[in-house]
Amino acid sequence: MKKLLLASAVAALSLNTVQAAPTLYGKLNISLDQVSNADFTEDKVTELNSNASRLGVKGEEKITDSLSAVYLAEWEVTGDGDDDTFKARNRFAGLKFANVGTLKAGRFDSYFKTAAGSDQDIFNDNERLDFKDILVGEDRLNNVVGFESDPAMLAGLGFNIMFQQGEGSTDDAGEDRDGFGDSISTSVTYESDIGLALALAGNFDVQSKWAALDGEKLYTDAIRLTASYDFANTGVDGLVIGGLFQQAEPSEDRITFDETVLEDLEEQAFGLTLAYAIPDTALTVRGEYVTVETSANDEEGSMDRYGVVVDYKLNKQSKVYGVLAQTKADEDFGFAEDKETVVGLGMEVKF
């Protein structure tokens, strides 16, 4: 009897261990890129890029039938050997309430950023072509508490809100940021059964990088609207279109940049994407066009990006791809060259 009880206890312990085991995941995305007029100079360079390759661990621990503890820790890794071997990405711990939502705290992507997904940003993670190089709002925020509702609770409608603590920092006006929710990022999302997906997101006093100001970080208010539609419900399998519109402005009325006072600084951006997974083949063709207009002191400048990606799926977790894209900046940005062109070949393996 004692042996039977002991065997039962060991079996139960083993079962619990299996249920609680964390999931190791990641991907390596390595590309060989030929860049002409790199960084809008006269330089021409051949690069081997890691494109935000990553390694992570995540898991969920059941507490009760309606409550679980969740966690995730993720690092960027450099498959080409450049820079730091490990770089912090998303990481959090939290509580998941069944059919309600998840409350979590740590460092993770703003809900403004996640409102634009793969249907709006086909060059996501690309070292040279990621949205973060031209659009305000592509932020991963430290010291945040966030809540994400379960879309299933309201027939596909989701609500997300994030509060960032300044922890004694100061804003662009020199004011202390030492309270709860010094910055807020929020979004409302909707996914339907007919292939339509929508998101409306807002950032309020969130520090973001401005490409038009040479990457200067400013506390910013912004709105973003995204949409996508999968034509499978109309009988056109594999065709998806996506769109994005956003507007951003500093939280302060007057900004000093490079010893120049900027008034009425504003960014407006529009993007359109199209993806087509060719039926009965391993090929997917994706195209993107994004235009960004930045204005201040009654002057304005624009950047335009357009390009195409062709994917060839090797299996469910790996693919090879080709990239051809160009980013054009008008002379108001002060670059030596007005076009940067990227031609690349790469391979992505997920695990």
Side-chain angles (χ1 to χ4, degrees):
M1 178 63 71
K2 290 183 179 179
K3 291 182 179 180
L4 179 59
L5 290 175
L6 179 60
S8 300
V10 170
L13 179 61
S14 299
L15 180 60
N16 287 337
T17 302
V18 170
Q19 290 176 335
T23 299
L24 179 67
Y25 70 94
K27 72 175 180 178
L28 287 174
N29 183 352
I30 310 297
S31 64
L32 182 65
D33 300 310
Q34 181 70 42
V35 187
S36 301
N37 298 331
D39 301 318
F40 299 99
T41 67
E42 296 179 354
D43 294 339
K44 186 175 183 179
V45 60
T46 301
E47 300 174 336
L48 191 67
N49 288 315
S50 292
N51 304 309
S53 295
R54 66 201 62 168
L55 179 67
V57 60
K58 61 183 178 180
E60 181 173 333
E61 299 278 354
K62 183 177 179 180
I63 300 173
T64 69
D65 288 341
S66 59
L67 180 65
S68 301
V70 293
Y71 60 90
L72 179 146
E74 187 176 276
W75 296 264
E76 182 175 334
V77 296
T78 53
D80 57 348
D82 294 340
D83 304 320
D84 298 330
T85 303
F86 291 100
K87 183 179 178 182
R89 285 179 55 86
N90 294 326
R91 50 199 54 199
F92 60 80
L95 294 172
K96 181 178 179 181
F97 302 88
N99 303 315
V100 177
T102 302
L103 177 68
K104 60 188 188 182
R107 163 190 166 92
F108 45 95
D109 291 338
S110 73
Y111 296 132
F112 187 93
K113 176 181 178 180
T114 57
S118 59
D119 291 328
Q120 288 81 30
D121 183 11
I122 68 168
F123 297 118
N124 183 38
D125 293 334
N126 186 283
E127 186 72 21
R128 285 283 178 178
L129 300 168
D130 193 285
F131 266 176
K132 66 184 180 181
D133 294 328
I134 57 173
L135 292 183
V136 167
E138 295 296 291
D139 307 303
R140 181 174 296 118
L141 302 180
N142 297 328
N143 309 316
V144 296
V145 176
F147 178 76
E148 305 164 5
S149 74
D150 185 348
M153 181 176 62
L154 294 172
L157 190 65
F159 298 90
N160 312 294
I161 188 165
M162 173 187 295
F163 302 94
Q164 183 184 37
Q165 287 50 256
E167 297 193 349
S169 60
T170 57
D171 62 19
D172 296 326
E175 299 293 330
D176 290 336
R177 296 167 52 82
D178 52 12
F180 178 79
D182 292 312
S183 301
I184 296 175
S185 182
T186 186
S187 68
V188 179
T189 62
Y190 175 70
E191 293 189 17
S192 72
D193 294 334
I194 62 171
L196 177 66
L198 302 170
L200 175 63
N203 269 358
F204 305 94
D205 212 17
V206 174
Q207 192 176 45
S208 298
K209 183 175 72 172
W210 286 68
L213 303 183
D214 198 24
E216 181 80 2
K217 290 187 175 181
L218 302 175
Y219 287 96
T220 301
D221 298 328
I223 59 170
R224 170 178 282 182
L225 175 64
T226 66
S228 66
Y229 184 72
D230 187 337
F231 284 82
N233 286 278
T234 67
V236 184
D237 291 336
L239 179 63
V240 179
I241 61 171
L244 174 148
F245 170 81
Q246 73 175 51
Q247 182 171 315
E249 59 184 25
S251 302
E252 301 295 328
D253 294 331
R254 292 163 60 91
I255 296 296
T256 300
F257 172 71
D258 198 19
E259 300 182 353
T260 300
V261 176
L262 301 179
E263 295 186 345
D264 300 321
L265 177 62
E266 183 181 80
E267 176 192 284
Q268 284 193 349
F270 171 79
L272 183 64
T273 57
L274 183 148
Y276 184 51
I278 302 174
D280 302 320
T281 76
L283 289 172
T284 298
V285 181
R286 297 176 287 153
E288 176 182 276
Y289 171 71
V290 180
T291 181
V292 184
E293 185 177 280
T294 307
S295 59
N297 297 349
D298 296 323
E299 297 181 356
E300 61 183 39
S302 63
M303 297 183 75
D304 299 284
R305 174 173 292 166
Y306 37 91
V308 64
V309 179
V310 178
D311 298 321
Y312 185 85
K313 184 180 291 187
L314 301 174
N315 59 26
K316 186 177 180 180
Q317 293 179 282
S318 60
K319 67 179 181 180
V320 293
Y321 61 88
V323 172
L324 174 61
Q326 186 173 84
T327 304
K328 181 179 180 180
D330 64 32
E331 60 184 15
D332 292 318
F333 281 81
F335 296 128
E337 296 290 334
D338 65 348
K339 298 183 183 70
E340 180 187 77
T341 304
V342 179
V343 180
L345 293 173
M347 180 175 183
E348 179 182 279
V349 180
K350 295 180 180 180
F351 54 90

